Amino acid sequence: MNNKTELTHLLKIAHPIIQAPMAGASTPELVAAVSNAGGLGSYGGAATPPAQLRQVVRRIRALTDRPFAVNLFAPAVEECEFTSQQQAVMSEVFTRWHNELNAGPVPEPISILGPFAEQFAVLLEERIPIFSFHFGPAPVDAIREMHTIGSRVLATATNVREAKILVEAGVDVIIAQGSEAGGHRSTFATPYDQGTIGTASLIPQVVDAVSVPVVAAGGIMDARGIVAALALGASGVQMGTAFLACPENNIPEVYRQAVLNGQDEDTVITEVFSGRPARAIRNRFVREMEHYRDQVLPFPAQISIGRRLRQASTEQSNPEFISMWAGQGVALAEALPAGELIEKLVQDCQAIAAALQATVQVFNPGSI
Ligand SMILES: Cc1cc2nc3c(=O)[nH]c(=O)nc-3n(C[C@H](O)[C@H](O)[C@H](O)COP(=O)(O)O)c2cc1C
């Protein structure tokens, strides 16, 4: 198979495979391993303070001389408003689990994202080659500034409307996120239920609607998914869950085991971890917190208030109170080093493409 697409030319990578940025899970080692293998490694920097982000970028550069991406959340999602009454109600809900896990008092919400302006300034100063962002509205000035240093900008859309808005804002590549995807739904321009289109339906519609390369994301776990996405018109794929079992990432061992044992029925889109819809492996927290979903604090306060419970759960190797983001393809995750995973994906794509050439003979006139 020819691995070259519009995307590989634009991003100067060998294979049209992007390892998804995963805030809290991606590491410089993961990013560099993917980029060194010819894919595009991406670091999820949304919750990384600016000074640390600079160290991360320098560490990636020490490990690879290939292109890589750094991802932030659009600045609009950093702040939220809620009353002390709402906070008191949610603290009360958390208290019983804190007591059960001896996690101490429920903490006050603090800022855990950004600040975008300072993070972004670091990325500009470090002249990162590729910037991507999740959520919206699009930070138009930031996109322009990235372009002035010759860098490319990628952003996620969950429907055609969002894809058009992002292209209008200057984004170079659209990541079309189907509802199978692990992690947060990036929906920003419509109600959430209008941004839950499956990958196979979403990709061709976005491809038809915009003139820039489209990357398919959501439920793509192996070469079958990659070839299918290319057949749907995508120029490449972005895969997150497939990299969750790689040893280079930064997830707790209980989370890794939940990924390796995950089944097709195990994930759910829920707002209870963060205040925004995200796909995660169902656990006790999801089941019990769903009763209080109307009282969940807005994003990102809900993630912040849950930080001590997640930490206690992790320390006790208890998967029941950790936000284990994962997509619907989780059962297909393989525990391979990231570089080997890229090599295997590329080889398998070549084998599938060759087999498909034989299969599509059936469409030749007179073949029956
Ligand atoms: C653990 C995890 C964390 C994620 N964090 C981010 C993030 O920080 N920024 C982002 O743009 N997307 C993030 N995503 C979403 C991915 O970019 C992508 O849409 C998704 O992984 C694709 O679906 P898949 O998981 O089925 O491959 C995350 C996904 C996962 C699984």
Side-chain angles (χ1 to χ4, degrees), residues 20-23 25 44 71 73 134 156 177 180-183 217-220 238-242 244 255 325-327:
M22 296 184 280
N71 173 271
F73 290 169
H134 210 49
T156 299
Q177 187 192 40
E180 299 93 322
I220 299 167
Q238 176 159 298
M239 302 164 70
T241 304
L244 282 176
Y255 182 176
W325 311 131

PDB file of all heavy atoms in Angstrom, residues 20-23 25 44 71 73 134 156 177 180-183 217-220 238-242 244 255 325-327, ligand 1:
ATOM      1  N   ALA A  20      -3.419   9.814  19.166  1.00  0.00           N
ATOM      2  CA  ALA A  20      -4.229  10.917  19.711  1.00  0.00           C
ATOM      3  C   ALA A  20      -3.544  11.557  20.910  1.00  0.00           C
ATOM      4  O   ALA A  20      -2.953  10.862  21.736  1.00  0.00           O
ATOM      5  CB  ALA A  20      -5.601  10.397  20.137  1.00  0.00           C
ATOM      6  N   PRO A  21      -3.673  12.892  20.993  1.00  0.00           N
ATOM      7  CA  PRO A  21      -3.204  13.537  22.224  1.00  0.00           C
ATOM      8  C   PRO A  21      -4.108  13.088  23.357  1.00  0.00           C
ATOM      9  O   PRO A  21      -5.317  13.032  23.201  1.00  0.00           O
ATOM     10  CB  PRO A  21      -3.418  15.028  21.922  1.00  0.00           C
ATOM     11  CG  PRO A  21      -4.482  15.074  20.886  1.00  0.00           C
ATOM     12  CD  PRO A  21      -4.360  13.813  20.091  1.00  0.00           C
ATOM     13  N   MET A  22      -3.533  12.735  24.478  1.00  0.00           N
ATOM     14  CA  MET A  22      -4.360  12.245  25.598  1.00  0.00           C
ATOM     15  C   MET A  22      -3.871  12.909  26.876  1.00  0.00           C
ATOM     16  O   MET A  22      -2.875  12.476  27.468  1.00  0.00           O
ATOM     17  CB  MET A  22      -4.270  10.718  25.684  1.00  0.00           C
ATOM     18  CG  MET A  22      -4.845  10.015  24.460  1.00  0.00           C
ATOM     19  SD  MET A  22      -4.854   8.224  24.566  1.00  0.00           S
ATOM     20  CE  MET A  22      -3.161   7.828  24.141  1.00  0.00           C
ATOM     21  N   ALA A  23      -4.580  13.978  27.269  1.00  0.00           N
ATOM     22  CA  ALA A  23      -4.180  14.719  28.464  1.00  0.00           C
ATOM     23  C   ALA A  23      -4.136  13.759  29.651  1.00  0.00           C
ATOM     24  O   ALA A  23      -5.091  13.029  29.903  1.00  0.00           O
ATOM     25  CB  ALA A  23      -5.160  15.855  28.730  1.00  0.00           C
ATOM     26  N   ALA A  25      -2.465  11.064  29.903  1.00  0.00           N
ATOM     27  CA  ALA A  25      -2.028   9.719  29.526  1.00  0.00           C
ATOM     28  C   ALA A  25      -0.826   9.733  28.592  1.00  0.00           C
ATOM     29  O   ALA A  25       0.049   8.863  28.674  1.00  0.00           O
ATOM     30  CB  ALA A  25      -3.179   8.953  28.870  1.00  0.00           C
ATOM     31  N   GLY A  44      -0.933  15.465  24.822  1.00  0.00           N
ATOM     32  CA  GLY A  44      -2.108  16.159  25.343  1.00  0.00           C
ATOM     33  C   GLY A  44      -1.684  17.065  26.484  1.00  0.00           C
ATOM     34  O   GLY A  44      -1.468  16.603  27.596  1.00  0.00           O
ATOM     35  N   ASN A  71      -1.268  19.353  21.925  1.00  0.00           N
ATOM     36  CA  ASN A  71      -2.699  19.653  21.930  1.00  0.00           C
ATOM     37  C   ASN A  71      -3.094  20.395  23.202  1.00  0.00           C
ATOM     38  O   ASN A  71      -2.626  20.052  24.293  1.00  0.00           O
ATOM     39  CB  ASN A  71      -3.451  18.303  21.842  1.00  0.00           C
ATOM     40  CG  ASN A  71      -4.947  18.399  22.001  1.00  0.00           C
ATOM     41  OD1 ASN A  71      -5.470  18.333  23.108  1.00  0.00           O
ATOM     42  ND2 ASN A  71      -5.647  18.525  20.901  1.00  0.00           N
ATOM     43  N   PHE A  73      -6.729  22.474  25.116  1.00  0.00           N
ATOM     44  CA  PHE A  73      -8.179  22.668  25.023  1.00  0.00           C
ATOM     45  C   PHE A  73      -8.432  24.130  24.679  1.00  0.00           C
ATOM     46  O   PHE A  73      -7.718  25.017  25.166  1.00  0.00           O
ATOM     47  CB  PHE A  73      -8.859  22.340  26.360  1.00  0.00           C
ATOM     48  CG  PHE A  73      -8.857  20.868  26.721  1.00  0.00           C
ATOM     49  CD1 PHE A  73      -9.239  20.462  27.988  1.00  0.00           C
ATOM     50  CD2 PHE A  73      -8.481  19.892  25.807  1.00  0.00           C
ATOM     51  CE1 PHE A  73      -9.245  19.116  28.331  1.00  0.00           C
ATOM     52  CE2 PHE A  73      -8.483  18.545  26.145  1.00  0.00           C
ATOM     53  CZ  PHE A  73      -8.872  18.158  27.411  1.00  0.00           C
ATOM     54  N   HIS A 134      -8.784  20.852  21.042  1.00  0.00           N
ATOM     55  CA  HIS A 134     -10.031  20.133  21.272  1.00  0.00           C
ATOM     56  C   HIS A 134     -11.028  21.159  21.787  1.00  0.00           C
ATOM     57  O   HIS A 134     -10.635  22.138  22.405  1.00  0.00           O
ATOM     58  CB  HIS A 134      -9.759  19.092  22.373  1.00  0.00           C
ATOM     59  CG  HIS A 134     -10.589  17.850  22.284  1.00  0.00           C
ATOM     60  ND1 HIS A 134     -10.757  17.116  21.146  1.00  0.00           N
ATOM     61  CD2 HIS A 134     -11.289  17.174  23.232  1.00  0.00           C
ATOM     62  CE1 HIS A 134     -11.509  16.046  21.392  1.00  0.00           C
ATOM     63  NE2 HIS A 134     -11.850  16.065  22.653  1.00  0.00           N
ATOM     64  N   THR A 156     -10.648  19.272  16.188  1.00  0.00           N
ATOM     65  CA  THR A 156     -11.654  18.206  16.151  1.00  0.00           C
ATOM     66  C   THR A 156     -13.063  18.747  15.941  1.00  0.00           C
ATOM     67  O   THR A 156     -13.489  19.697  16.601  1.00  0.00           O
ATOM     68  CB  THR A 156     -11.605  17.418  17.479  1.00  0.00           C
ATOM     69  OG1 THR A 156     -10.307  16.838  17.613  1.00  0.00           O
ATOM     70  CG2 THR A 156     -12.640  16.298  17.492  1.00  0.00           C
ATOM     71  N   GLN A 177     -14.468  13.352  14.702  1.00  0.00           N
ATOM     72  CA  GLN A 177     -14.540  12.440  15.851  1.00  0.00           C
ATOM     73  C   GLN A 177     -15.915  11.769  15.903  1.00  0.00           C
ATOM     74  O   GLN A 177     -16.915  12.401  16.242  1.00  0.00           O
ATOM     75  CB  GLN A 177     -14.272  13.228  17.142  1.00  0.00           C
ATOM     76  CG  GLN A 177     -14.162  12.363  18.381  1.00  0.00           C
ATOM     77  CD  GLN A 177     -14.199  13.189  19.667  1.00  0.00           C
ATOM     78  OE1 GLN A 177     -14.958  14.144  19.772  1.00  0.00           O
ATOM     79  NE2 GLN A 177     -13.388  12.817  20.636  1.00  0.00           N
ATOM     80  N   GLU A 180     -17.917   6.744  18.628  1.00  0.00           N
ATOM     81  CA  GLU A 180     -17.237   5.594  19.236  1.00  0.00           C
ATOM     82  C   GLU A 180     -16.030   6.012  20.065  1.00  0.00           C
ATOM     83  O   GLU A 180     -15.502   5.241  20.868  1.00  0.00           O
ATOM     84  CB  GLU A 180     -16.712   4.648  18.137  1.00  0.00           C
ATOM     85  CG  GLU A 180     -17.760   4.041  17.230  1.00  0.00           C
ATOM     86  CD  GLU A 180     -17.988   4.872  15.971  1.00  0.00           C
ATOM     87  OE1 GLU A 180     -17.967   6.119  16.062  1.00  0.00           O
ATOM     88  OE2 GLU A 180     -18.208   4.264  14.908  1.00  0.00           O
ATOM     89  N   ALA A 181     -15.557   7.244  19.849  1.00  0.00           N
ATOM     90  CA  ALA A 181     -14.264   7.690  20.380  1.00  0.00           C
ATOM     91  C   ALA A 181     -14.191   7.647  21.897  1.00  0.00           C
ATOM     92  O   ALA A 181     -15.161   7.965  22.591  1.00  0.00           O
ATOM     93  CB  ALA A 181     -13.988   9.119  19.901  1.00  0.00           C
ATOM     94  N   GLY A 182     -12.995   7.316  22.396  1.00  0.00           N
ATOM     95  CA  GLY A 182     -12.723   7.428  23.824  1.00  0.00           C
ATOM     96  C   GLY A 182     -12.443   8.873  24.188  1.00  0.00           C
ATOM     97  O   GLY A 182     -12.023   9.667  23.354  1.00  0.00           O
ATOM     98  N   GLY A 183     -12.685   9.231  25.445  1.00  0.00           N
ATOM     99  CA  GLY A 183     -12.395  10.582  25.910  1.00  0.00           C
ATOM    100  C   GLY A 183     -13.541  11.542  25.631  1.00  0.00           C
ATOM    101  O   GLY A 183     -14.666  11.124  25.305  1.00  0.00           O
ATOM    102  N   ALA A 217     -11.434   9.710  13.444  1.00  0.00           N
ATOM    103  CA  ALA A 217     -11.159   9.313  14.830  1.00  0.00           C
ATOM    104  C   ALA A 217     -12.400   8.671  15.428  1.00  0.00           C
ATOM    105  O   ALA A 217     -13.520   9.089  15.141  1.00  0.00           O
ATOM    106  CB  ALA A 217     -10.751  10.526  15.655  1.00  0.00           C
ATOM    107  N   GLY A 218     -12.167   7.645  16.244  1.00  0.00           N
ATOM    108  CA  GLY A 218     -13.292   7.010  16.922  1.00  0.00           C
ATOM    109  C   GLY A 218     -13.454   5.565  16.523  1.00  0.00           C
ATOM    110  O   GLY A 218     -13.895   5.270  15.417  1.00  0.00           O
ATOM    111  N   GLY A 219     -13.028   4.668  17.415  1.00  0.00           N
ATOM    112  CA  GLY A 219     -13.243   3.244  17.187  1.00  0.00           C
ATOM    113  C   GLY A 219     -12.247   2.598  16.241  1.00  0.00           C
ATOM    114  O   GLY A 219     -12.398   1.430  15.881  1.00  0.00           O
ATOM    115  N   ILE A 220     -11.206   3.340  15.820  1.00  0.00           N
ATOM    116  CA  ILE A 220     -10.218   2.755  14.900  1.00  0.00           C
ATOM    117  C   ILE A 220      -9.112   2.133  15.744  1.00  0.00           C
ATOM    118  O   ILE A 220      -8.386   2.833  16.457  1.00  0.00           O
ATOM    119  CB  ILE A 220      -9.678   3.823  13.936  1.00  0.00           C
ATOM    120  CG1 ILE A 220     -10.852   4.363  13.104  1.00  0.00           C
ATOM    121  CG2 ILE A 220      -8.589   3.227  13.026  1.00  0.00           C
ATOM    122  CD1 ILE A 220     -10.530   5.615  12.334  1.00  0.00           C
ATOM    123  N   GLN A 238      -6.785   9.156  13.511  1.00  0.00           N
ATOM    124  CA  GLN A 238      -6.248   9.498  14.833  1.00  0.00           C
ATOM    125  C   GLN A 238      -6.765   8.435  15.801  1.00  0.00           C
ATOM    126  O   GLN A 238      -7.973   8.227  15.922  1.00  0.00           O
ATOM    127  CB  GLN A 238      -6.699  10.899  15.263  1.00  0.00           C
ATOM    128  CG  GLN A 238      -6.232  11.250  16.663  1.00  0.00           C
ATOM    129  CD  GLN A 238      -6.201  12.749  16.918  1.00  0.00           C
ATOM    130  OE1 GLN A 238      -5.469  13.475  16.258  1.00  0.00           O
ATOM    131  NE2 GLN A 238      -6.993  13.225  17.862  1.00  0.00           N
ATOM    132  N   MET A 239      -5.829   7.770  16.481  1.00  0.00           N
ATOM    133  CA  MET A 239      -6.196   6.642  17.349  1.00  0.00           C
ATOM    134  C   MET A 239      -5.745   6.921  18.782  1.00  0.00           C
ATOM    135  O   MET A 239      -4.581   7.231  19.011  1.00  0.00           O
ATOM    136  CB  MET A 239      -5.509   5.363  16.843  1.00  0.00           C
ATOM    137  CG  MET A 239      -5.866   5.025  15.404  1.00  0.00           C
ATOM    138  SD  MET A 239      -4.735   3.812  14.625  1.00  0.00           S
ATOM    139  CE  MET A 239      -5.141   2.323  15.504  1.00  0.00           C
ATOM    140  N   GLY A 240      -6.674   6.797  19.722  1.00  0.00           N
ATOM    141  CA  GLY A 240      -6.339   7.018  21.122  1.00  0.00           C
ATOM    142  C   GLY A 240      -6.336   5.719  21.907  1.00  0.00           C
ATOM    143  O   GLY A 240      -5.289   5.265  22.408  1.00  0.00           O
ATOM    144  N   THR A 241      -7.482   5.076  21.988  1.00  0.00           N
ATOM    145  CA  THR A 241      -7.634   3.861  22.792  1.00  0.00           C
ATOM    146  C   THR A 241      -6.612   2.792  22.394  1.00  0.00           C
ATOM    147  O   THR A 241      -6.106   2.075  23.269  1.00  0.00           O
ATOM    148  CB  THR A 241      -9.076   3.326  22.641  1.00  0.00           C
ATOM    149  OG1 THR A 241      -9.975   4.375  23.003  1.00  0.00           O
ATOM    150  CG2 THR A 241      -9.319   2.116  23.523  1.00  0.00           C
ATOM    151  N   ALA A 242      -6.284   2.705  21.118  1.00  0.00           N
ATOM    152  CA  ALA A 242      -5.326   1.689  20.665  1.00  0.00           C
ATOM    153  C   ALA A 242      -3.960   1.864  21.320  1.00  0.00           C
ATOM    154  O   ALA A 242      -3.181   0.910  21.413  1.00  0.00           O
ATOM    155  CB  ALA A 242      -5.191   1.741  19.142  1.00  0.00           C
ATOM    156  N   LEU A 244      -3.580   2.961  24.473  1.00  0.00           N
ATOM    157  CA  LEU A 244      -3.690   2.972  25.942  1.00  0.00           C
ATOM    158  C   LEU A 244      -2.983   1.798  26.612  1.00  0.00           C
ATOM    159  O   LEU A 244      -2.667   1.856  27.799  1.00  0.00           O
ATOM    160  CB  LEU A 244      -5.164   2.992  26.365  1.00  0.00           C
ATOM    161  CG  LEU A 244      -5.862   4.342  26.275  1.00  0.00           C
ATOM    162  CD1 LEU A 244      -7.344   4.203  26.619  1.00  0.00           C
ATOM    163  CD2 LEU A 244      -5.195   5.361  27.189  1.00  0.00           C
ATOM    164  N   TYR A 255      -6.013   0.849  35.375  1.00  0.00           N
ATOM    165  CA  TYR A 255      -6.653   1.373  34.156  1.00  0.00           C
ATOM    166  C   TYR A 255      -6.176   0.530  32.962  1.00  0.00           C
ATOM    167  O   TYR A 255      -6.982   0.065  32.135  1.00  0.00           O
ATOM    168  CB  TYR A 255      -6.260   2.842  34.054  1.00  0.00           C
ATOM    169  CG  TYR A 255      -6.794   3.685  32.914  1.00  0.00           C
ATOM    170  CD1 TYR A 255      -6.494   5.056  32.892  1.00  0.00           C
ATOM    171  CD2 TYR A 255      -7.584   3.187  31.886  1.00  0.00           C
ATOM    172  CE1 TYR A 255      -6.942   5.886  31.880  1.00  0.00           C
ATOM    173  CE2 TYR A 255      -8.040   4.010  30.870  1.00  0.00           C
ATOM    174  CZ  TYR A 255      -7.705   5.359  30.865  1.00  0.00           C
ATOM    175  OH  TYR A 255      -8.150   6.194  29.864  1.00  0.00           O
ATOM    176  N   TRP A 325     -10.977   6.798  30.479  1.00  0.00           N
ATOM    177  CA  TRP A 325     -11.450   7.121  29.124  1.00  0.00           C
ATOM    178  C   TRP A 325     -11.066   5.984  28.177  1.00  0.00           C
ATOM    179  O   TRP A 325      -9.916   5.535  28.172  1.00  0.00           O
ATOM    180  CB  TRP A 325     -10.835   8.409  28.606  1.00  0.00           C
ATOM    181  CG  TRP A 325     -10.868   9.618  29.486  1.00  0.00           C
ATOM    182  CD1 TRP A 325      -9.814  10.430  29.774  1.00  0.00           C
ATOM    183  CD2 TRP A 325     -12.000  10.178  30.170  1.00  0.00           C
ATOM    184  NE1 TRP A 325     -10.227  11.453  30.597  1.00  0.00           N
ATOM    185  CE2 TRP A 325     -11.554  11.326  30.859  1.00  0.00           C
ATOM    186  CE3 TRP A 325     -13.350   9.820  30.285  1.00  0.00           C
ATOM    187  CZ2 TRP A 325     -12.394  12.122  31.634  1.00  0.00           C
ATOM    188  CZ3 TRP A 325     -14.189  10.609  31.059  1.00  0.00           C
ATOM    189  CH2 TRP A 325     -13.714  11.739  31.716  1.00  0.00           C
ATOM    190  N   ALA A 326     -11.990   5.542  27.373  1.00  0.00           N
ATOM    191  CA  ALA A 326     -11.703   4.520  26.355  1.00  0.00           C
ATOM    192  C   ALA A 326     -12.845   4.488  25.352  1.00  0.00           C
ATOM    193  O   ALA A 326     -13.987   4.833  25.688  1.00  0.00           O
ATOM    194  CB  ALA A 326     -11.532   3.146  26.994  1.00  0.00           C
ATOM    195  N   GLY A 327     -12.529   4.054  24.133  1.00  0.00           N
ATOM    196  CA  GLY A 327     -13.525   4.023  23.070  1.00  0.00           C
ATOM    197  C   GLY A 327     -14.186   2.655  22.941  1.00  0.00           C
ATOM    198  O   GLY A 327     -13.797   1.687  23.601  1.00  0.00           O
TER     199      GLY A 327
HETATM  200  C1  LIG B   1      -7.433   8.598  27.435  1.00  0.00           C
HETATM  201  C2  LIG B   1      -7.871   9.576  26.388  1.00  0.00           C
HETATM  202  C3  LIG B   1      -7.582  10.924  26.568  1.00  0.00           C
HETATM  203  C4  LIG B   1      -7.906  11.857  25.565  1.00  0.00           C
HETATM  204  N1  LIG B   1      -7.534  13.160  25.716  1.00  0.00           N
HETATM  205  C5  LIG B   1      -7.648  14.009  24.665  1.00  0.00           C
HETATM  206  C6  LIG B   1      -7.040  15.297  24.707  1.00  0.00           C
HETATM  207  O1  LIG B   1      -6.414  15.692  25.698  1.00  0.00           O
HETATM  208  N2  LIG B   1      -7.172  16.086  23.611  1.00  0.00           N
HETATM  209  C7  LIG B   1      -7.825  15.673  22.481  1.00  0.00           C
HETATM  210  O2  LIG B   1      -7.887  16.413  21.501  1.00  0.00           O
HETATM  211  N3  LIG B   1      -8.434  14.467  22.429  1.00  0.00           N
HETATM  212  C8  LIG B   1      -8.329  13.632  23.486  1.00  0.00           C
HETATM  213  N4  LIG B   1      -8.897  12.374  23.411  1.00  0.00           N
HETATM  214  C9  LIG B   1      -9.743  12.020  22.240  1.00  0.00           C
HETATM  215  C10 LIG B   1      -8.886  11.594  21.043  1.00  0.00           C
HETATM  216  O3  LIG B   1      -8.307  12.726  20.432  1.00  0.00           O
HETATM  217  C11 LIG B   1      -9.675  10.848  19.959  1.00  0.00           C
HETATM  218  O4  LIG B   1     -10.801  11.609  19.558  1.00  0.00           O
HETATM  219  C12 LIG B   1     -10.141   9.473  20.378  1.00  0.00           C
HETATM  220  O5  LIG B   1      -9.180   8.809  21.146  1.00  0.00           O
HETATM  221  C13 LIG B   1     -10.459   8.636  19.157  1.00  0.00           C
HETATM  222  O6  LIG B   1     -11.188   7.486  19.491  1.00  0.00           O
HETATM  223  P1  LIG B   1     -10.516   6.090  19.958  1.00  0.00           P
HETATM  224  O7  LIG B   1     -10.166   6.316  21.395  1.00  0.00           O
HETATM  225  O8  LIG B   1     -11.619   5.123  19.767  1.00  0.00           O
HETATM  226  O9  LIG B   1      -9.314   5.857  19.114  1.00  0.00           O
HETATM  227  C14 LIG B   1      -8.603  11.432  24.396  1.00  0.00           C
HETATM  228  C15 LIG B   1      -8.914  10.074  24.253  1.00  0.00           C
HETATM  229  C16 LIG B   1      -8.553   9.153  25.214  1.00  0.00           C
HETATM  230  C17 LIG B   1      -8.880   7.699  25.001  1.00  0.00           C
END
